[in-house]
Amino acid sequence: MKKLIFPTLFFLLMLTTVEAQDATATSKGSWLIEANTGFGGGDFSVANTANTSFGLSSSNGTTIWAIGAEGGHFIAEDLALKLGLGFTDLDGETIFTYKVGAKYYVNGSIPFQVDFTGASSDLFFDEDPLWLGLQGGYAIFIADNVSVEPGLRYNISLNSDFTEEGLFEFRIGFVIHL
């Protein structure tokens, strides 16, 4: 019996501590700055290269590097409106990416995001690609105002000209809550 009491009390104490950290980080009026890494697709498709995350990949003599970030403001408890910008270099060709969306934290620690992502480049002839993004994960608060957020993302193509209908990604986000 004694062996169960200590672990149970420890678990409840940790749960209370995590909940207290989350309540202040996602409260109304707070801000967030987010940087993501994206692992998905495994190819050099438009959906895989046009994003607001950090990345570096090379295959068959082609190198892609990307840099981007997202920011948001909590307009209500656990609900943030977000904007993102990204830049990708595809062997000298550039892609500019923008993102507008909303992120909701269920219980302050389970983030769900819905957004629209668009890209602009000379690589696209008829129309610039657009995607509807759906994302979910878990926020691990390593400090009162810093979280690591692993999650899954699915981008749904909104263009008829692109053959890519969608792309799954595994992401790891690093978020600073201000």
Side-chain angles (χ1 to χ4, degrees), residues 93-155:
E93 298 291 334
T94 59
I95 301 172
F96 291 98
T97 309
Y98 57 90
K99 183 185 289 185
V100 176
K103 188 172 195 175
Y104 182 73
Y105 287 82
V106 177
N107 293 330
S109 61
I110 304 172
F112 287 99
Q113 181 170 311
V114 175
D115 55 60
F116 288 99
T117 304
S120 177
S121 175
D122 290 337
L123 294 172
F124 315 129
F125 300 107
D126 294 334
E127 63 181 325
D128 289 338
L130 294 170
W131 297 274
L132 172 65
L134 306 171
Q135 184 172 319
Y138 189 77
I140 303 164
F141 281 84
I142 57 176
D144 288 344
N145 64 338
V146 177
S147 65
V148 177
E149 299 182 3
L152 290 175
R153 178 175 179 80
Y154 186 68
N155 289 317

Side-chain angles (χ1 to χ4, degrees), residues 4-18:
L4 291 175
I5 293 174
F6 180 72
T8 303
L9 289 175
F10 180 76
F11 176 75
L12 290 174
L13 177 65
M14 292 304 293
L15 185 64
T16 304
T17 304
V18 169

Side-chain angles (χ1 to χ4, degrees), residues 22-29 74-80 103-105:
D22 293 347
T24 58
T26 61
S27 61
K28 182 179 178 180
F74 286 90
I75 60 167
E77 194 72 24
D78 296 328
L79 177 64
K103 188 172 195 175
Y104 182 73
Y105 287 82

